[in-house]
Amino acid sequence: YELGDGVEEDMKKAVYLCQGIVDGDSYAQMSLGLMYEDGRVIPRDFARAMVLYQQSAAQNHEPAIRILENLKTYTLPLPTPKG
């Protein structure tokens, strides 16, 4: 739904699906983090985005690792995830 690949693009459905599977799914964690960072469909929340990127990267999800590396280069220190 996020990219409209094979289905009509629907960001609200994409958010719903990502929130439903975010526990333990590295791709969903990164995708939902991007949505929080972007703030178009759900309210922008950089802290929540960073936690989701960190959770995804902790599972060796390469795109999330690259996002964090880029953010560390260009931003302030990242928050420490809780729990």
Side-chain angles (χ1 to χ4, degrees), residues 1 5-7 15 19 23 28 31 36 38 41 44-45 56 60-61 64 66-67 69 71 75 79-81:
Y1 290 105
D5 186 20
V7 295
V15 170
Q19 287 175 331
D23 290 329
S31 294
Y36 274 114
D38 182 60
V41 178
R44 180 173 280 155
D45 185 338
S56 180
N60 296 314
H61 189 72
R66 284 192 299 275
I67 289 170
E69 288 171 352
L71 290 172
T75 63
T80 301

Side-chain angles (χ1 to χ4, degrees), residues 2 5-6 9-11 15-16 20 24 27 38-40 46-47 63-64 68 71-72 74-75 79-80:
E2 180 182 0
D5 186 20
E9 184 176 331
D10 187 334
M11 291 303 289
V15 170
Y16 174 77
Y27 180 80
D38 182 60
R40 282 185 298 144
F46 290 116
L68 288 174
L71 290 172
K72 286 178 184 177
Y74 300 108
T75 63
T80 301

Side-chain angles (χ1 to χ4, degrees), residues 30 34 37 50 53-54 57 61-78:
M30 185 203 66
L34 290 168
E37 184 178 357
M50 295 305 110
Y53 294 150
Q54 290 171 330
H61 189 72
E62 288 296 324
I65 292 169
R66 284 192 299 275
I67 289 170
L68 288 174
E69 288 171 352
N70 289 335
L71 290 172
K72 286 178 184 177
T73 301
Y74 300 108
T75 63
L76 298 173
L78 300 173

